[in-house]
Amino acid sequence: MSILLSLQSLGEQTNGQMPDLTTNIVTTQAELNIIDLSLKGGWIMAVLAILSIVAVYIFIQRILVIRRAGKEDESFMNRIKDYIHDGKVESALKLCRTTYTPSARMIEKGISRLGRPMNDVLVAIENVGNLEVAQLEKGFPFIATIAGGAPMIGFLGTVTGMVQAFFDMANAGANVDISLLSNGIYEALVTTVGGLVVGILALFAYNYLVSSVDNVVNKMEARTMEFMDLLNEPAN
């Protein structure tokens, strides 16, 4: 009964409104700063940063080369056919030399082997094609290595960070604080996150480059077949 009277008197003093008991409560929430967190990852994060820069450089450089190799003049093969039919071999060779594409260099090698057995011409073209593909795929092993190695490097950083965290906790003796262990753990896990991010992006970049090279190779094979069909056409 006394409690009800106290609440009633309190309501009368506040004009019937209950006091806001939460006005003086201040809530604080910690925020994750990605940059600060990355810096706490130690030297492992520096290694991952270097690997990411290398992967980005190779990707941009290779994609420019591959796109340039994939661009072809639609009238190229028609002009080659006209030159071959008219017996203008030198004009056909000149056209190939001024067309800076892998297909043009393959056709140039085939034209230079005219008069030899068809098998020799085809082998010469295929050899040039293999060299062209090797040039397009230059740098691919580095991106593949980064895609596979970055997560492992990140995991290595996590393991070494965990060892350091438990070492600090052991040295703390009776003054062990849960924050000492938790801070060391989340800082160590940063390297795993960084390694996974670099590895995943490098893997996607590698697969995209491989797919782009495959498209160029398909064009090279199509041009080769066109040229071989041209040589096999019966003379009029």
Side-chain angles (χ1 to χ4, degrees):
M1 190 68 179
S2 59
I3 296 176
L4 293 175
L5 292 175
S6 299
L7 291 175
Q8 184 178 3
S9 61
L10 180 61
E12 293 175 354
Q13 294 177 2
T14 57
N15 296 325
Q17 297 180 355
M18 295 299 293
D20 189 1
L21 301 179
T22 63
T23 55
N24 295 328
I25 300 177
V26 179
T27 59
T28 59
Q29 183 177 0
E31 296 182 357
L32 280 177
N33 190 317
I34 301 299
I35 298 178
D36 293 340
L37 201 59
S38 299
L39 293 176
K40 291 179 181 180
W43 63 272
I44 293 291
M45 295 300 293
V47 174
L48 293 175
I50 294 174
L51 293 178
S52 63
I53 293 174
V54 172
V56 170
Y57 171 78
I58 295 176
F59 175 77
I60 295 176
Q61 194 267 345
R62 285 293 93 193
I63 201 65
L64 293 176
V65 172
I66 294 171
R67 287 182 178 178
R68 186 165 59 248
K71 291 181 179 179
E72 292 187 352
D73 186 0
E74 297 296 333
S75 63
F76 173 76
M77 286 305 301
N78 292 330
R79 296 172 65 185
I80 291 293
K81 291 178 181 179
D82 293 338
Y83 287 140
I84 297 298
H85 288 157
D86 296 339
K88 299 179 181 179
V89 177
E90 290 299 327
S91 297
L93 290 173
K94 183 178 180 181
L95 176 61
C96 292
R97 295 183 184 122
T98 56
T99 306
Y100 301 100
T101 61
S103 298
R105 287 186 283 271
M106 293 170 61
I107 300 302
E108 178 186 358
K109 178 61 68 173
I111 295 175
S112 66
R113 294 293 189 271
L114 289 179
R116 299 189 180 184
M118 297 296 294
N119 187 55
D120 293 346
V121 176
L122 181 59
V123 170
I125 294 176
E126 290 179 345
N127 290 336
V128 174
N130 292 333
L131 294 176
E132 293 293 337
V133 173
Q135 287 296 321
L136 293 177
E137 293 179 344
K138 186 178 180 181
F140 282 23
F142 290 101
I143 295 186
T145 301
I146 292 173
M152 300 301 294
I153 294 175
F155 183 67
L156 173 63
T158 297
V159 172
T160 56
M162 293 287 289
V163 171
Q164 183 64 43
F166 282 106
F167 178 78
D168 295 338
M169 186 177 65
N171 288 338
N175 299 322
V176 175
D177 187 2
I178 188 62
S179 63
L180 181 66
L181 180 61
S182 61
N183 289 337
I185 291 176
Y186 85 77
E187 290 178 11
L189 291 176
V190 170
T191 59
T192 294
V193 175
L196 288 174
V197 170
V198 175
I200 291 172
L201 293 179
L203 180 61
F204 287 164
Y206 174 79
N207 289 333
Y208 180 79
L209 291 176
V210 170
S211 177
S212 300
V213 170
D214 288 341
N215 292 334
V216 176
V217 170
N218 291 334
K219 293 180 180 179
M220 294 165 59
E221 291 177 349
R223 296 295 176 266
T224 300
M225 296 306 299
E226 277 188 78
F227 181 73
M228 298 305 298
D229 290 341
L230 172 63
L231 298 183
N232 287 323
E233 288 180 359
N236 293 330

